[in-house]
Amino acid sequence: MADHAQEMQEECGRFLRDVQAIAGLGIYVLDIPAGRWKSSEVLDEIFGLDASSEHSIETWIDLLHADDRQAMVDYFSGEVVGERRPFDREYRILRHCDGTQRWVHGRGRLDLDAQGLPVRMIGTIQDITARKRAADDLRCLAETLEQRVAERTRELEAVNAALRGSHALLTETGKVAHVGGWELDLRTSEQVWTDEVYRIHEVEPGFKPTMENGIAFYTPESRPIIERLVRRAMDEGEPFDEELQIVTARGRRRWVRAVGRLDGERRVLFGIFQDINTRKHLDLVLREKNVALDRSVGQLRKLAGELTQAEERERKRLAGQLHDNLQPLLVACTLKVGLLDPKDGEKSHARAVQEILDLLRESLDASRVLTMELFPPVLLDAGLVPGLRWLSDWMLAKHGLRVALTMAESPDIPEPLTILIFRAVRELLLNVVKHAEVPAASVSMEWPTPGALRVVVSDQGRGFNPGEAGDPFSTEGFGLFHLREHLAYVGGTLDVASAPGQGTTISMTVPFAS
């Protein structure tokens, strides 16, 4: 199962890298208070950075083109961080590795803390150098054609042929990047879509687009936004660039990027339409993984704290037993030896030696008891079932708790699993002694399926409410949280059934293969 999960994770990683590489799209996560950011491999390549080097706000500022640097710094600190607006800007950079100029389109969304302060920005940066260069080339070509169209007809025909080739190239590029174009004639209300826009909407080629039926594709929550943006572009000439959702002709929701500009002289509204559903999905996956990572870090910190406290309690317990039992016996032996006088007779010596031997036997017994409490040898010599039987006898002798055992014969259990189950059962029985206020408990072990082992510890004591906050056992032992985390580490589970006055049943299930 772990190998399959690893393969799935690696496959998702390769897919993400392929998508970023094809679209020239890099991903970054900026820690605003620390001024540090992490980036994907594609983004490091765009910026010409070494992935092993430290990425900071200063690194980004140094990469900015000198003509854009101050404007971008003011924009980031003022509108984005100061006014809590999304980052959305095209700007120039000088690659760190070779100093070449590139155009990029940066996007980012702020995450705020409980006080409304920005703590993180997640976003993308796309290399749009090729598009910028293509736009510049086309603009220069258009200017050249206007100057030469009157006297150089044959050159115009050659250029038109080149343009037809460029159009084919742009069409193929649009398919790869999922970008199409559209145009709306405001005088006739006629609208034109490229093939890619038809594909994004999942409509048939014979579909006749208009402003009204085009807007109708947008979801109810996105429709008022696009209507307002189009109206402003028509009335005030204000361009727009927005990410919205549509419902395709086949009923599928899809995230798109809608960009529009007004050509006032021709009275034409035109723009691009891009399918960004994959990127939106990746953004969502990234956010979910960040949340899961934060949750795991919190659990690990809590577990580390509880482990530290449990270790400290165990040290104190062992120190107390040594101080109260073994050390006094050894001190008494030392005193007895010191009191021996060569002048005393043989009878006096024999009596003193017997007393010393008695004290040494008591010391040996105390040492044996301590060893058995720490780790009974029978557990590794004979296995889990004999170990639990020894534990039942020890609980009766040590704490007066009668433990009824129901043990199914089992195949050889791996040593780590044997130790884990034994310690878990011992902790739960000690919890019965400390909290349940009953003289008896039961332990059963069974094999519900060939691949699983279940151990159940139950009592008829005072019980508790598992739904209440906190762990009623954590102050004295390792606690249910600790046991649950250890079982989860080997793929097991811990279930608690209890109620005030109705006893407690705790079931541990672990996967097992003989």
Side-chain angles (χ1 to χ4, degrees):
M1 184 180 298
D3 292 341
H4 180 66
Q6 180 68 23
E7 291 176 0
M8 289 295 294
Q9 184 176 5
E10 292 175 355
E11 185 64 24
C12 290
R14 288 193 294 269
F15 174 74
L16 177 60
R17 289 191 294 271
D18 291 343
V19 170
Q20 294 180 58
I22 291 173
L25 190 71
I27 300 174
Y28 68 89
V29 178
L30 170 62
D31 185 341
I32 293 179
R36 298 287 184 271
W37 51 280
K38 296 181 180 179
S39 57
S40 64
E41 295 177 1
V42 174
L43 185 53
D44 285 339
E45 195 281 328
I46 292 174
F47 281 147
L49 294 172
D50 183 356
S52 63
S53 64
E54 183 176 77
H55 298 359
S56 65
I57 291 293
E58 289 75 18
T59 305
W60 176 71
I61 294 175
D62 290 339
L63 290 171
L64 294 173
H65 192 282
D67 295 341
D68 295 346
R69 184 172 295 138
Q70 189 58 49
M72 289 303 299
V73 171
D74 294 342
Y75 169 70
F76 177 77
S77 60
E79 292 186 30
V80 177
V81 177
E83 301 178 16
R84 315 294 193 264
R85 295 185 181 180
F87 187 103
D88 190 351
R89 186 62 62 92
E90 295 180 359
Y91 56 93
R92 291 171 292 177
I93 63 169
L94 296 176
R95 296 181 79 240
H96 184 269
C97 61
D98 56 16
T100 58
Q101 176 180 303
R102 285 193 180 184
W103 275 95
V104 295
H105 187 176
R107 292 178 175 277
R109 176 187 57 75
L110 287 173
D111 284 344
L112 307 180
D113 61 15
Q115 289 75 37
L117 298 176
V119 294
R120 182 171 54 193
M121 177 185 287
I122 302 174
T124 61
I125 293 179
Q126 186 174 22
D127 188 344
I128 60 172
T129 305
R131 177 167 65 82
K132 283 286 187 178
R133 290 174 179 171
D136 292 341
D137 292 342
L138 290 174
R139 186 164 51 251
C140 293
L141 180 59
E143 293 173 357
T144 302
L145 288 175
E146 289 178 0
Q147 296 173 1
R148 301 172 59 187
V149 65
E151 69 275 13
R152 300 188 179 180
T153 304
R154 284 184 298 179
E155 288 185 10
L156 179 60
E157 291 175 352
V159 171
N160 283 334
L163 284 175
R164 285 193 294 272
S166 298
H167 176 72
L169 177 61
L170 288 174
T171 300
E172 291 302 316
T173 303
K175 290 180 181 179
V176 174
H178 305 298
V179 178
W182 59 272
E183 186 176 272
L184 173 64
D185 191 325
L186 300 181
R187 291 169 298 188
T188 63
S189 296
E190 293 182 356
Q191 191 168 15
V192 177
W193 287 357
T194 64
D195 293 343
E196 188 62 19
V197 179
Y198 275 90
R199 189 204 64 79
I200 294 173
H201 286 84
E202 296 186 322
V203 295
E204 297 298 328
F207 179 79
K208 300 296 183 183
T210 65
M211 185 173 70
E212 289 75 17
N213 62 26
I215 289 177
F217 279 100
Y218 287 87
T219 60
E221 57 270 22
S222 296
R223 196 172 302 144
I225 300 174
I226 191 65
E227 288 176 342
R228 182 176 67 254
L229 294 174
V230 170
R231 180 55 57 190
R232 286 183 180 177
M234 293 168 57
D235 296 343
E236 305 172 18
E238 182 178 338
F240 61 86
D241 187 341
E242 193 73 31
E243 294 181 355
L244 303 166
Q245 276 191 303
I246 64 170
V247 178
T248 70
R250 297 181 183 178
R252 288 188 280 217
R253 278 186 170 242
R254 180 171 288 171
W255 278 97
V256 297
R257 177 189 173 198
V259 180
R261 300 287 188 275
L262 176 66
D263 186 338
E265 294 183 2
R266 296 192 302 130
R267 294 298 298 163
V268 169
L269 194 64
F270 67 97
I272 65 169
F273 204 74
Q274 183 179 17
D275 182 350
I276 59 171
N277 207 56
T278 299
R279 176 169 65 79
K280 281 288 187 179
H281 174 69
L282 294 176
D283 289 344
L284 178 61
V285 170
L286 181 61
R287 286 196 298 270
E288 291 175 349
K289 288 189 177 296
N290 283 334
V291 171
L293 179 61
D294 292 341
R295 186 184 304 115
S296 298
V297 169
Q299 290 177 341
L300 287 174
R301 286 174 178 168
K302 181 179 179 182
L303 178 58
E306 292 205 5
L307 283 172
T308 301
Q309 295 176 10
E311 290 173 357
E312 195 62 33
R313 287 193 295 268
E314 188 67 9
R315 290 191 188 97
K316 290 180 180 179
R317 187 181 71 84
L318 294 176
Q321 289 197 10
L322 291 172
H323 181 271
D324 297 339
N325 297 325
L326 191 57
Q327 288 180 3
L329 294 173
L330 295 176
V331 168
C333 284
T334 303
L335 293 176
K336 287 288 184 181
V337 171
L339 293 175
L340 288 176
D341 190 342
K343 298 177 181 180
D344 293 339
E346 291 184 2
K347 292 184 179 181
S348 178
H349 283 182
R351 186 169 52 253
V353 169
Q354 185 61 45
E355 291 176 356
I356 292 172
L357 288 175
D358 292 340
L359 289 172
L360 288 175
R361 288 191 189 95
E362 291 184 41
S363 299
L364 184 59
D365 291 340
S367 175
R368 246 189 231 108
V369 169
L370 184 60
T371 300
M372 296 295 284
E373 289 184 5
L374 287 175
F375 198 90
V378 67
L379 186 63
L380 295 185
D381 294 340
L384 180 60
V385 173
L388 292 177
R389 288 178 181 142
W390 174 91
L391 180 62
S392 173
D393 296 337
W394 183 82
M395 291 299 299
L396 180 60
K398 183 74 174 179
H399 300 286
L401 180 69
R402 297 190 307 275
V403 180
L405 296 177
T406 305
M407 299 282 107
E409 290 301 325
S410 64
D412 291 337
I413 301 175
E415 180 179 312
L417 191 58
T418 297
I419 296 172
L420 172 62
I421 295 173
F422 177 84
R423 288 181 173 173
V425 172
R426 183 174 65 179
E427 285 298 323
L428 293 175
L429 290 177
L430 288 174
N431 285 333
V432 173
V433 173
K434 297 168 186 174
H435 302 286
E437 299 178 357
V438 290
S442 66
V443 177
S444 65
M445 185 173 72
E446 60 182 357
W447 303 86
T449 63
L453 168 64
R454 180 185 297 144
V455 179
V456 180
V457 179
S458 61
D459 65 77
Q460 300 300 316
R462 61 188 184 125
F464 65 100
N465 185 359
E468 292 180 352
D471 187 339
F473 304 145
S474 62
T475 57
E476 298 293 338
F478 290 116
L480 295 180
F481 173 81
H482 172 87
L483 294 179
R484 183 175 281 111
E485 289 299 312
H486 269 277
L487 290 170
Y489 180 75
V490 297
T493 59
L494 183 141
D495 298 315
V496 179
S498 184
Q502 298 184 21
T504 301
T505 298
I506 298 179
S507 175
M508 299 174 289
T509 303
V510 293
F512 172 76
S514 61

